[in-house]
Amino acid sequence: MAGKAPPAARSEAKPAAGGRYYLQVAAYTTEQDAQARRDSLRQAGVTDAYVERGQSNGRTVYRLRVGPFGSHEAAQAAQARLRALGYQNGLISGK
């Protein structure tokens, strides 16, 4: 997949800039769950998957994301591949 692989050590690490589109695959309430899913994606060849810590409705969430992608079309192609891997609810966002 397009994009650069982020450092694997911490969930707060974001990938290096290389595009402005990201695919949010899912959000989890525990870092452990998010990291486990990230690891599963990486084993499936999705090397640019990472976990980002955030807030939603006053609660900490761990967002599983893929990217960055240089175009909306590249993000859509990644979204299709992730659907084939069983991740149906991915959302494309631009930053």
Side-chain angles (χ1 to χ4, degrees):
M1 295 184 95
K4 297 182 181 180
R10 295 297 322 147
S11 65
E12 292 82 12
K14 294 181 186 177
R20 55 175 248 169
Y21 294 95
Y22 294 81
L23 182 60
Q24 181 166 316
V25 179
Y28 300 92
T29 57
T30 69
E31 184 176 12
Q32 182 180 4
D33 287 344
Q35 296 288 356
R37 291 295 186 164
R38 181 208 62 197
D39 293 346
S40 293
L41 283 178
R42 287 184 176 173
Q43 288 176 0
V46 183
T47 59
D48 52 358
Y50 67 99
V51 175
E52 180 177 83
R53 184 178 178 169
Q55 294 288 315
S56 179
N57 296 324
R59 302 176 99 173
T60 300
V61 294
Y62 299 89
R63 296 178 180 113
L64 178 57
R65 293 186 169 190
V66 177
F69 301 97
S71 69
H72 191 265
E73 292 77 18
Q76 285 178 313
Q79 186 178 41
R81 179 167 181 226
L82 288 170
R83 284 184 178 147
L85 293 173
Y87 294 91
Q88 301 298 320
N89 297 320
L91 300 172
I92 297 171
S93 65
K95 288 191 177 185

